[in-house]
Amino acid sequence: MTISLDGRRFAAVTDVVAGEVGTETVFAYHERAGEVWAEYAGGSIRRGRLVGTRDGDRLDFRYVQLNLDGQTSSGHCVSEVSVLADGRVRLRETWSWESRPGSGSSVVEELPLP
């Protein structure tokens, strides 16, 4: 059973080494017919967008962002979707910058409902 990401909000579990996303960065995901996209902001990110596709439990997307210093960056990410014991969704990400050197991995988890 595939769980939709549409309308779910996520945040990084820890600050991302070699990246700009941190625990204060919040992602708002959307999904429709195999397409995924999100807006994100918070921490050192003023504004970010991602867009890509979903095939089963695999996301493949490109991202672009503007940081608080006014610098833009872009990259590619592949994520694996899983469900936590409490029903929230986890994304295990492997990413690489395309606009500058660097790559890494990160984990983002769905934020609990308020």
Side-chain angles (χ1 to χ4, degrees), residues 56-68:
D57 289 334
R58 183 179 185 272
L59 307 180
D60 189 325
F61 59 82
R62 294 293 195 287
Y63 57 90
V64 62
Q65 60 195 38
L66 173 68
N67 68 21
L68 294 178

Side-chain angles (χ1 to χ4, degrees), residues 11-59:
V13 174
T14 60
D15 290 338
V16 179
V17 176
E20 294 182 329
V21 167
T23 58
E24 296 176 2
T25 309
V26 176
F27 296 78
Y29 268 78
H30 310 279
E31 179 178 6
R32 187 173 306 120
E35 298 175 3
V36 293
W37 66 99
E39 303 85 28
Y40 58 98
S44 66
I45 305 295
R46 184 177 296 165
R47 183 181 317 274
R49 300 285 187 267
L50 65 85
V51 63
T53 57
R54 180 175 183 175
D55 184 9
D57 289 334
R58 183 179 185 272
L59 307 180

